[in-house]
Every structure is written in structure tokens, then in C-alpha cells.
């Protein structure tokens, strides 16, 4: 079985309407090449100053971004992985960083709230405390669609292999990693982390990314990527906004796991999930 998937690279800004309009163009392009799964990057509907997230956070039951995702999935009859959007929480100072998976009928198949928050100090220009503005999630999320088991993660999650092994233990064939990686960490680690997560778990990894300058002082790395279970990069966007796609050959997963049965060899007695 082969399933075509697409990853959308965007350069989102603090203007939600402009971002949704740009996303609609890319989604249509992805659908036109026959993609059954299409994924947007992290913060696709808003990428500005982190401290402004609480002002633009949406209510779950009145979310223009979620309504947009549902309408686009219905219009193009695709499975749409909605990158992430900021939603209001019980904490008035912090939002959730939430990824929704939408089915072709416009139904919500899954919601994943980012587990690991980007609290780092790379250098003077690259110090971030995502936890000041975002409430972390508490659940590992997979769902089934088109005969596939799909895992959801977001950006900084990619540095935590135990999350991906847990997702693999739930039978994941493909894991999505919508992201907004910084330039310094992206240059150093983005490709090697994505390929490692695919190799370790013998699954496909699809990583749509943000690229370029979004507000003064905030620039992302881009290089959206689709990686196969053997660690080969099947598609990569090295320029600006755009769409990449690749066909996932599900037989490759079984073949890779038969040749290199690391999931069977894992010492669960010593390293429980």
C-alpha cells in the first residue's frame, strides 16, 4: 500500500487572516498532487512575539483556525494535520500549543498538546522560555486513518526519543513533527534528529517547518523534510514557503522491521514504556 503525504513550509506572521490565506493556497497545491495526508507547520496560524500569544489565543468552541482546518479538510477530502494553534486554557497567562488531526469529513480525529516546552539558552540571541507562555500537554497521541497508525508530536519533542519509542510501541507507521526550529539549532540538529527518530523506530517521519523572519529577531530554519524508515530523506524544501510530498510505501516499514528488528529486541524489562 502506498499513501502520498505532503508537508507544507510556511513563513507565518502575526496576522492570522494572512496566514490562513497562505495556508489555503498550499493545502490546495498539496491536494492537487494527490496527497491523502497534508501537514502544516507549528504556529501556522500565528507566529509573532511569544508574549502576545495570550491575546490571540482562541476558544476551542469558537476557533477560527480550527474551523479553517475542518473546512479545508472537507473541501479537499484529505486528512489534515493542523500544525499547531494557540488555545485558551484555565491559566489566563498561558495557552496550549495544540495540533489537531482532521478527517476528510471535517471531523476531529485527534488533538495533541505539545509535551516538551522549549526552555533553552543557546546564546544571548537565542534564549527562549516557552513555558512562560504555554501550558504543556500530558498525553501521548496516536490515531488510525487510511490503514495507518499515525503519531503526533511538535517541534522540540523531537529531542526526546522516549516519546517516539512510546509512539512506535503503539504501532505508529508515520509520525508528524510540525515545527518552528530556530536557525542555530536547525543547522546543527534538525536533519540528524529527524533521521534518528525514523531509524530508531523504523517508521516514516514527516516534518513541516516554518522558515524565514516572522518578526524582528525571530527567524526559523525551514528545511521541511520527509524521512523513510531506513533514514533516507525522501523530500526536502530548502528554499522558502512551499510544498513537498512523497509516497509512503507501507511495505517498507515491514521490510525494515524484519531486517532490523530493534523493536522486538528492546529490553522492556529494563526500559519499560
Amino acid at each position: 500500500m502506498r499513501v502520498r503525504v505532503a508537508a507544507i513550509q510556511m513563513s507565518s506572521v502575526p496576522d492570522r487572516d494572512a496566514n490562513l490565506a497562505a495556508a489555503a493556497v498550499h493545502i490546495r497545491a498539496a491536494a492537487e498532487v494527490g496527497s491523502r495526508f497534508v501537514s502544516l507547520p507549528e504556529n501556522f496560524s500565528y507566529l509573532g512575539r511569544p508574549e502576545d500569544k495570550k491575546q490571540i489565543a482562541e476558544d476551542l468552541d469558537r476557533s477560527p483556525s480550527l474551523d479553517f482546518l475542518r473546512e479545508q479538510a472537507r473541501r479537499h477530502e484529505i486528512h489534515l494535520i493542523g500544525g499547531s494553534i494557540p488555545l485558551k486554557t484555565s491559566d489566563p497567562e498561558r495557552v496550549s500549543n495544540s495540533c489537531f488531526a482532521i478527517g476528510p469529513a471535517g471531523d476531529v480525529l485527534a488533538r495533541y498538546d505539545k509535551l516538551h516546552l522549549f526552555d533553552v539558552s543557546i546564546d544571548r540571541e537565542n534564549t527562549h522560555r516557552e513555558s512562560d507562555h504555554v501550558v504543556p500537554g500530558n498525553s501521548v497521541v496516536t490515531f488510525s486513518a487510511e490503514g495507518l497508525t499515525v503519531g503526533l508530536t511538535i517541534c522540540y519533542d523531537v529531542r526526546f526519543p522516549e516519546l517516539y519509542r512510546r509512539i512506535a510501541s503503539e504501532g505508529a507507521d508515520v509520525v508528524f513533527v510540525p515545527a518552528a526550529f530556530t536557525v542555530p539549532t536547525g543547522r546543527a540538529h534538525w536533519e540528524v534528529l529527524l533521521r534518528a527518530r525514523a531509524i530508531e523506530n523504523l517508521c516514516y517521519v514527516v516534518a513541516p517547518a516554518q522558515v524565514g523572519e516572522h518578526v524582528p529577531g525571530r527567524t526559523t530554519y525551514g528545511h521541511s523534510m520527509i524521512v523513510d524508515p531506513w533514514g533516507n530523506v525522501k523530500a526536502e524544501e530548502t528554499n522558502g514557503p512551499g510544498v513537498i510530498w512523497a509516497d509512503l510505501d507501507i511495505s517498507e516499514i515491514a521490510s525494515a522491521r524484519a531486517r532490523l528488528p530493534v523493536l522486538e529486541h528492546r529490553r522492556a524489562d529494563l526500559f519499560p514504556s
Side-chain angles (χ1 to χ4, degrees):
M1 181 177 74
R2 290 178 177 268
V3 179
R4 181 160 293 181
V5 301
I8 292 171
Q9 186 156 289
M10 293 182 64
S11 187
S12 297
V13 295
D15 183 335
R16 183 177 62 203
D17 290 343
N19 294 331
L20 297 187
V25 171
H26 295 311
I27 293 167
R28 183 176 68 247
E32 286 176 348
V33 297
S35 303
R36 296 299 303 143
F37 288 82
V38 178
S39 183
L40 293 157
E42 183 183 22
N43 300 323
F44 82 94
S45 64
Y46 172 86
L47 215 173
R49 300 189 309 164
E51 58 267 30
D52 292 338
K53 281 189 173 182
K54 63 182 180 181
Q55 277 80 39
I56 56 84
E58 302 174 13
D59 290 301
L60 178 59
D61 57 352
R62 294 191 305 278
S63 168
S65 298
L66 181 54
D67 290 345
F68 167 83
L69 294 174
R70 298 181 70 174
E71 187 275 330
Q72 289 290 311
R74 281 193 300 266
R75 174 179 296 185
H76 299 291
E77 298 182 317
I78 57 172
H79 293 87
L80 184 55
I81 310 299
S84 73
I85 59 179
L87 292 178
K88 292 180 181 178
T89 70
S90 58
D91 184 339
E93 297 301 316
R94 299 193 296 169
V95 306
S96 68
N97 191 348
S98 300
C99 177
F100 289 90
I102 312 297
D107 49 328
V108 175
L109 302 178
R111 170 183 170 175
Y112 169 72
D113 291 349
K114 188 176 183 180
L115 288 176
H116 301 98
L117 303 184
F118 192 53
D119 291 358
V120 303
S121 182
I122 306 301
D123 53 41
R124 184 177 299 177
E125 289 75 32
N126 289 279
T127 296
H128 305 270
R129 282 198 55 81
E130 189 176 17
S131 64
D132 287 347
H133 312 289
V134 176
V135 176
N138 291 299
S139 299
V140 176
V141 175
T142 61
F143 67 97
S144 297
E146 298 268 335
L148 302 178
T149 300
V150 180
L152 298 178
T153 66
I154 298 174
C155 200
Y156 189 52
D157 284 332
V158 78
R159 294 184 180 274
F160 298 87
E162 62 273 18
L163 170 59
Y164 290 77
R165 183 51 53 89
R166 168 71 179 278
I167 289 171
S169 74
E170 295 186 7
D173 302 296
V174 56
V175 183
F176 286 88
V177 195
F181 245 62
T182 67
V183 171
T185 58
R187 285 175 179 157
H189 303 144
W190 173 245
E191 180 177 336
V192 69
L193 285 168
L194 294 172
R195 295 179 69 190
R197 298 296 83 86
I199 293 166
E200 291 168 343
N201 299 295
L202 298 161
C203 66
Y204 284 94
V205 170
V206 180
Q210 293 280 357
V211 66
E213 187 175 51
H214 310 279
V215 291
R218 185 162 190 187
T219 305
T220 52
Y221 180 65
H223 290 265
S224 297
M225 202 170 290
I226 300 172
V227 184
D228 76 10
W230 207 247
N232 300 307
V233 177
K234 305 291 286 185
E236 180 180 7
E237 178 56 81
T238 58
N239 298 309
V243 181
I244 59 171
W245 62 89
D247 291 331
L248 309 192
D249 184 346
I250 307 310
S251 67
E252 286 188 4
I253 300 173
S255 174
R257 291 178 178 175
R259 286 181 289 162
L260 196 64
V262 295
L263 299 179
E264 296 176 21
H265 293 163
R266 177 175 169 272
R267 288 290 302 275
D269 57 326
L270 297 178
F271 308 106
S273 297

